[in-house]
Amino acid sequence: GENVEQHPSTLSVQEGDSAVIKCTYSDSASNYFPWYKQELGKRPQLIIDIRSNVGEKKDQRIAVTLNKTAKHFSLHITETQPEDSAVYFCAASKDSSYKLIFGSGTRLLVRP
Amino acid sequence: SAVISQKPSRDICQRGTSLTIQCQVDSQVTMMFWYRQQPGQSLTLIATANQGSEATYESGFVIDKFPISRPNLTFSTLTVSNLSPEDSSIYLCSVERRDRGYNEQYFGPGTRLTVT
């Protein structure tokens, strides 16, 4: 079955710097790759996702890149702000209507 | 955006008892998913609930321990049976929705279960 590895487990950056979180997946049939942000005591919140027919997607300060050949995808956050501090999870799936397999999570701390 | 509610939001239960968690969505959805998030950990899928058929369980999760009902396209329940302290977790439901013009998965607020 699908396996998703996520790195790093913790990431500390200075406010205004960029943050990059990387994930690799094992199942070449995976086509849907969402990213979730989870603040303490709250539900995972979908922040961006990408499908295998594109290599990059941007939404304001957030971007996701996908390399299907290498089976890895990354989350890029530019101009980080303290409110970006949270745990970020990547996931992989065959489709958005299918089960999600999650990475282990990255705790991002943005220092003011 | 999708309105997904769960009841209860939290509960403290005694060992050996059961807890039933409800997930309600504001519109009809085909698939509903139940996840477990143990303290400080990632999310693990328990089962997929289809309306009108038996739930599909992931490896390591069995129907006797986690019975699921899906009586209609807006509602599902997950029961955690014969509770032990190891069942202390957050349980979340998720659904596929098309709120931003394309299909995505959204989560309910979760149910925090503590077993004493």
Side-chain angles (χ1 to χ4, degrees):
Chain A
E2 176 69 279
N3 182 51
V4 178
E5 294 192 359
Q6 182 172 348
H7 300 281
S9 57
T10 59
L11 180 59
S12 180
V13 300
Q14 194 71 38
E15 182 178 359
D17 287 350
S18 295
V20 180
I21 303 171
K22 299 181 179 182
C23 290
T24 60
Y25 61 99
S26 61
D27 189 350
S28 56
S30 290
N31 287 304
Y32 175 63
F33 307 93
W35 285 88
Y36 291 85
K37 174 185 180 183
Q38 188 174 34
E39 296 174 280
L40 190 62
K42 296 190 176 180
R43 78 184 80 189
Q45 176 192 358
L46 179 68
I47 55 172
I48 196 168
D49 55 15
I50 191 168
R51 285 173 165 81
S52 59
N53 56 344
V54 297
E56 183 176 6
K57 184 176 178 181
K58 287 184 179 179
D59 183 1
Q60 300 182 346
R61 296 186 297 108
I62 294 173
V64 57
T65 59
L66 171 65
N67 183 327
K68 279 221 79 176
T69 303
K71 289 193 264 186
H72 65 71
F73 56 112
S74 301
L75 177 71
H76 304 253
I77 306 175
T78 58
E79 301 173 22
T80 53
Q81 302 167 2
E83 51 266 37
D84 294 329
S85 296
V87 179
Y88 291 80
F89 292 100
C90 64
S93 178
K94 293 181 183 178
D95 185 74
S96 57
S97 63
Y98 202 66
K99 61 185 180 183
L100 296 174
I101 305 300
F102 282 84
S104 53
T106 297
R107 184 173 302 275
L108 173 65
L109 173 64
V110 180
R111 306 185 306 273
Chain B
S1 60
V3 176
I4 309 168
S5 61
Q6 285 186 234
K7 288 182 183 179
S9 58
R10 58 179 63 226
D11 207 342
I12 301 172
C13 300
Q14 297 225 343
R15 187 193 301 253
T17 63
S18 298
L19 176 70
T20 295
I21 302 166
Q22 300 178 6
C23 180
Q24 178 78 52
V25 190
D26 65 343
S27 65
Q28 294 183 344
V29 294
T30 305
M31 309 284 277
M32 295 181 83
F33 304 92
W34 286 99
Y35 290 84
R36 181 176 74 182
Q37 187 174 28
Q38 295 177 302
Q41 302 295 314
S42 184
L43 292 87
T44 302
L45 181 68
I46 298 170
T48 302
N50 272 331
Q51 194 267 336
S53 63
E54 294 260 340
T56 303
Y57 289 84
E58 297 300 303
S59 176
F61 298 95
V62 295
I63 188 170
D64 289 347
K65 175 69 174 177
F66 298 98
I68 286 171
S69 77
R70 182 79 199 273
N72 56 53
L73 292 174
T74 63
F75 186 79
S76 177
T77 67
L78 168 73
T79 298
V80 189
S81 304
N82 190 23
L83 291 168
S84 67
E86 294 71 38
D87 295 321
S88 297
S89 294
I90 298 173
Y91 293 86
L92 302 113
C93 64
S94 77
V95 301
E96 184 196 25
R97 289 283 297 247
R98 195 178 176 83
D99 287 348
R100 299 193 291 183
Y102 45 88
N103 294 339
E104 299 171 315
Q105 272 201 33
Y106 293 91
F107 281 86
T111 296
R112 183 180 295 272
L113 168 61
T114 302
V115 182
T116 60

